[in-house]
Structures are given as structure tokens and as C-alpha cells.
Amino acid sequence: MSLLAREFRLIRFERIAAWLCLPLLAMLQAWSLASQSGQAAWWAQVGALAGFFLFLDGSRSAKQAALRGWWFATCWLASVFSWLYISMHTYAGLSAALAAAAVLALAAALALYYAIAAALYWRLRVYGFMGSALLFAACWSLAELARGQWLTGFPWGAIGYAHVDGPLAWLARWVGVYGIGAVAAMFAALLAFVLVAVLGYIFGRFISISRLPVSGPRMLSAPAWLLLLAVAVHVGGVWQRAQFASADAQQHSQPVSVALLQGNIPIAEKFDPSTGVIDSLNWYGDQFRQRTESLVIAPETAIPVLKPDLPIEYFAIVTEPYRNGEQALLTGIPLGSPLTGYTNSVEGVKPGGEPYIYSKSHLVPFGEFVPPMFQWFNDMMDIPLDSFSRGAVVQPSFEWQGERFAPNICYEDLFGEELAQRFTDANQAPTVLVNFSNIGWFGEGKVIDQHLNISRMRTLELERPMIRATNTGATAIIDHRGQVQAKAPRATVQVLSGEVTGVGQGGEASSITPYARWAGVWRLWPLWMVALLTLVLVPVVLRRLPALRRSYQ
């Protein structure tokens, strides 16, 4: 067989391998966000993205790179939020075929960000392992940022969440989940280059498109860069953990006893006046009157109907112990009227105070509002309460026993940059975050674990504990270091009783993390600028300064 024929055969084999292997790598990356045990698996995420990078760097055109990026991202995202099928088919009445097609269509649309990023990397890539890793991290970060912010944003499944228990977790307080994702992408690219270098040395050629000459120094440079980055992360982590230990030793706040109510009301019945509504009102009403903890918290739409539709005096009766006793209550409830509009809200009751109201700001497309030109799609589904108004991004916290409890509803805790805006004034910054959720719409599987890890990442970014009251799970108490202190069994009727200790009660500026400082003021623009500058500067530096380029190689 001639050399040219062998080359064509290798190219054809590599193309087939790409289309077959990329879905497997994509599913591995999705699995890394919440493994079978519910824990994140950072090593699986880095390995999966390294595999994708091998095929990306081996692409023979920008078009092929874009197609591979789109195919990988489509399979990955469809695997991440496959639970959307349950909400659309089981509960919203959409046919199985249309529900599956809708999930795939959403994944394919969001994957376009990664297709553009892949093509951009291929166009800009440079000769040099670290330079290429920086470019890949920048391109990947731009895709993640665009997915998380444009068209209201849907960043569920960003790769940084796979590192909530990993060696990169300490970076959250500095650069947030997207910054962690950028560093993880660098690790993945360098890991792929190590494999490229080793195989290139063994077989006398590189498997990447660059096909640079094999040499001992070049073979060693990729492992050297990978080792250098790993050592830097490790040293930084050791230093940061020492800082954490010192800061935690100085905290002497008194804990607040809490009761987190998990009613496990079946979603198929929750808004049915003859079944689920009655069950909700009876169970939560009984718990409101029986609990003795200082703060009682019920999940999103625990009271599933508007106040005018409640039995006469119901709300006044069940909240009487909190208006005239020594306890406080936070409960999810829809509020509003046809004239003022409706809000997905939390109402707080405490002795001697006016009712506290928090209204959800970041609404769920199709579930809580209908995007322009998509009313026809919502008309195909049976979704209650799908026309809510937005609350303000920054709203006052609920003050109780020296703590400032800051609500967020459902997937609002997915947007750390919006929660960070509540920390611009240290004296009014939350001391405890409270998530109110009802994700029973999406089943009892991995969505619960994924959402719990999202909440844990917020506690790492903002260094505030978070307590979660949910209808089906995960009802949990998370400390300010991202560790789950207590968790109720999912899909069961439970009351999780425990204690939470806030952080930053005195308004100390030192209690505000660097991430909360810059994201609270500039949101995610600093990350956008760093990524864009990397795309501009790295090719210029490595292509116009030959001496520096040789040092990278």
C-alpha cells in the first residue's frame, strides 16, 4: 500500500472514530456533573474534554472542527438535561416524540455556541502546547458565557460544576464557576497534548493536525506544562485551605434552628383543586402550626394557589404562631392579581413585622413566561402559572435573629453573577442563602443531584451557607464551604430539622469574596474581556516572537 493510500485510510478511520467516540465522551462529561452516587467527578470531566480536544485539534478544516464541536456539545447537553423530557411529556402532555425532539432541538441550538468556539480555535491555533491550551480555554469559556447569558441564559451543566469537590474548587471564591471551567479546559488540552506527544514519539509522528517534528524537548514540554499547572493549583489550594481554617476559627456566631419542609406533593396533582391543593394546604398548614424551630421554611409554591382562592382565614390561621410568637416563617406562594400581574414569590412572617415578600427575578422560559414567537409551543402543553412578572434582581433579605436570609427560587441559584449583586453593600449582604425549589417537574433522578451541586458551587463562590427547601429534593443544609451538613431523602415526605450559622453578620468587608466583589459590580464582563484578550494576544505573541515561540515548544 502506498504512503498516500495509507494516509487516506487513516483519515477516513479517524473521521469514523470521531463520530462514534464523541457521543461517548459527551455522555461521560454529562455524567461527571452528578455521577451515579450524586457526587461530581472532576477527573471524568477533564478526561472527556481531553478526548474531545484530540478530535478537535485533529480536524482538517474549520468546518470539520465546527461540526465536531456541535456534535459533541449536542450529545453532551442532551444528556445533561434529558430530564426536560419528563416535564414536557409526563406533566405538560406533549407527545413522547415531540418532547424528545424538543430536548434535542434545544441541545442542538445551544451547541451552536460550541461549534463557533471550535471553529474559532481551529482558525487561531498556534504552534505551542501552552499557547494552544490557553486559546482552547478562551474559546470554550466564550461559549459557556454566551450560553449562560444570551437569550435569558441557560447555563445548566457548565463544566465547572463537575469540580465542586475537586482540586479546582478553591478557585470558586476568586473566579467563579466559569473561571474554574476555563482552568479545567486548559488541563484537558494539556492532557490531550501529553497523549499526542507520547504517541508521536512512539510512532514517529504527531496525531494532531500540526504534525510537527518529533523531538525529545518537544515531547517533554507538554508534560512539563501540565505538571507546572497542577503544582500551581495544588500550592494555591494548600494556601487557600490554610486561610479558610484561620477565618473559620474566628467565627463565633450563634446558629439558628431551622425546619425545612419537603411535602413531596405529586406534580400531577399539585395544582388540582380536588387533590393536590387540598393535600398541600393540609400538610403544610399542619407543619406550620406544629414546628418549634426558630425558622420554618416551605418550598416553592408550597401554597399552590393565590390568597383569594384559599379557604377563608386559612393563611391567617396557619401563620398565627409566627405573627404572635417567637418563630418566623418563609413559604413559597404565588401572589398578585389580573390587574397587577402574578409573581412566583416567597412570603415571610415574623412577630411584630410587616409581611416580607421576595419575588422571583430570573424566570424559566416556557415554564414561567413565554418567549416572543413561541406562544404556539406553550399552547401545545398544559402548564399552570406560566405568565409571571419579574421581581427586581436585588431585593432586601429577610432579617431574623441577627441573620439576613436571602431567598432565591428554583434555578435562580444557577446565576451566581446575579446573586453576587446582593453583596455590593457588606452591611446589607446576605448571611444565609435560601433556595426554594419544586423540581418534581423533572423527575427524581440526576436533576436533583445536579441542582444540589449547583447550590454547593454558589456557597463556594459567595462563602455563605445555603439551606434548600424543596418539594421532592434535594432538601439540604449546606455550609459556607460547600459541604452538605444534612440532607433529607428524596421523593419522601420529610421535615429536615437542623441548624445554620451565617457568615458576615457584622458587615465585615473581609467576608465578601473576590468573586462577589467583581461580579457584583461588573457581572461577568471581566471574564469576557480576559477570554477575548487571550484570543487576540496569544496568536500575536507566539507568531511574531519566534524566540518566545521556541521556548513554548
Side-chain angles (χ1 to χ4, degrees), residues 256-340:
V256 177
S257 63
V258 296
L260 308 178
L261 310 183
Q262 180 176 290
N264 195 38
I265 307 299
I267 295 299
E269 304 172 4
K270 184 173 176 65
F271 299 97
D272 188 331
S274 63
T275 55
V277 171
I278 294 176
D279 292 341
S280 294
L281 298 183
N282 287 340
W283 191 80
Y284 285 109
D286 289 343
Q287 293 301 321
F288 290 169
R289 288 175 289 183
Q290 293 173 10
R291 304 312 307 176
T292 60
E293 290 82 358
S294 177
L295 178 61
V296 178
I297 302 177
E300 178 185 15
T301 60
I303 298 176
V305 295
L306 298 165
K307 283 187 177 180
D309 298 326
L310 290 170
I312 298 175
E313 298 297 322
Y314 170 86
F315 198 77
I317 292 172
V318 299
T319 60
E320 192 277 333
Y322 306 94
R323 286 181 285 108
N324 301 307
E326 298 180 349
Q327 299 171 272
L329 169 72
L330 288 170
T331 182
I333 182 173
L335 298 175
S337 69
L339 293 178
T340 61

Side-chain angles (χ1 to χ4, degrees), residues 121-436:
Y121 167 78
W122 197 92
R123 287 290 189 189
L124 296 176
R125 67 204 175 124
V126 294
Y127 295 143
F129 291 144
M130 193 58 181
S132 295
L134 286 169
L135 280 177
F136 177 67
C139 291
W140 183 272
S141 295
L142 289 173
E144 295 266 71
L145 290 167
R147 180 165 73 94
Q149 291 193 289
W150 294 357
L151 303 176
T152 80
F154 190 54
W156 196 289
I159 62 172
Y161 291 112
H163 297 266
V164 70
D165 288 310
L168 301 183
W170 67 273
L171 290 169
R173 73 184 310 269
W174 297 93
V175 295
V177 67
Y178 295 112
I180 290 177
V183 177
M186 289 177 60
F187 267 109
L190 289 173
L191 180 62
F193 277 133
V194 168
L195 179 60
V196 166
V198 171
L199 292 180
Y201 185 76
I202 293 174
F203 295 108
R205 59 177 287 177
F206 280 90
I207 61 174
S208 67
I209 190 61
S210 57
R211 302 180 184 278
L212 295 174
V214 179
S215 65
R218 181 168 177 80
M219 186 194 74
L220 293 175
S221 64
W225 280 118
L226 182 62
L227 179 61
L228 180 62
L229 184 59
V231 169
V233 167
H234 176 72
V235 171
V238 170
W239 171 81
Q240 188 64 79
R241 283 189 290 273
Q243 301 301 309
F244 287 161
S246 176
D248 292 346
Q250 299 175 16
Q251 291 189 13
H252 304 288
S253 303
Q254 293 298 315
V256 177
S257 63
V258 296
L260 308 178
L261 310 183
Q262 180 176 290
N264 195 38
I265 307 299
I267 295 299
E269 304 172 4
K270 184 173 176 65
F271 299 97
D272 188 331
S274 63
T275 55
V277 171
I278 294 176
D279 292 341
S280 294
L281 298 183
N282 287 340
W283 191 80
Y284 285 109
D286 289 343
Q287 293 301 321
F288 290 169
R289 288 175 289 183
Q290 293 173 10
R291 304 312 307 176
T292 60
E293 290 82 358
S294 177
L295 178 61
V296 178
I297 302 177
E300 178 185 15
T301 60
I303 298 176
V305 295
L306 298 165
K307 283 187 177 180
D309 298 326
L310 290 170
I312 298 175
E313 298 297 322
Y314 170 86
F315 198 77
I317 292 172
V318 299
T319 60
E320 192 277 333
Y322 306 94
R323 286 181 285 108
N324 301 307
E326 298 180 349
Q327 299 171 272
L329 169 72
L330 288 170
T331 182
I333 182 173
L335 298 175
S337 69
L339 293 178
T340 61
Y342 303 102
T343 57
N344 187 356
S345 299
V346 169
E347 182 161 344
V349 183
K350 63 181 180 180
E354 292 294 321
Y356 168 84
I357 302 297
Y358 170 84
S359 297
K360 188 176 183 181
S361 172
H362 206 122
L363 303 180
V364 179
F366 304 105
E368 293 173 324
F369 79 97
V370 182
M373 300 184 294
F374 278 93
Q375 184 61 51
W376 61 271
F377 183 70
N378 256 44
D379 291 342
M380 298 171 64
M381 299 185 289
D382 181 20
I383 300 178
L385 306 174
D386 64 351
S387 299
F388 284 120
S389 300
R390 301 177 189 273
V393 173
V394 178
Q395 300 176 51
S397 299
F398 180 74
E399 298 190 18
W400 180 244
Q401 289 199 349
E403 303 287 359
R404 294 182 291 273
F405 293 87
N408 58 83
I409 299 177
C410 190
Y411 90 148
E412 279 190 310
D413 67 344
L414 192 58
F415 301 91
E417 68 277 11
E418 294 182 1
L419 297 186
Q421 294 181 60
R422 307 183 191 186
F423 289 78
T424 54
D425 182 354
N427 291 311
Q428 298 300 319
T431 61
V432 180
L433 302 172
V434 190
N435 180 258
F436 298 77

Side-chain angles (χ1 to χ4, degrees), residues 521-540:
V521 177
W522 296 304
R523 302 194 67 179
L524 297 177
W525 281 110
L527 294 181
W528 280 97
M529 295 307 299
V530 169
L532 291 171
L533 284 173
T534 300
L535 295 188
V536 173
L537 295 179
V538 169
V540 170

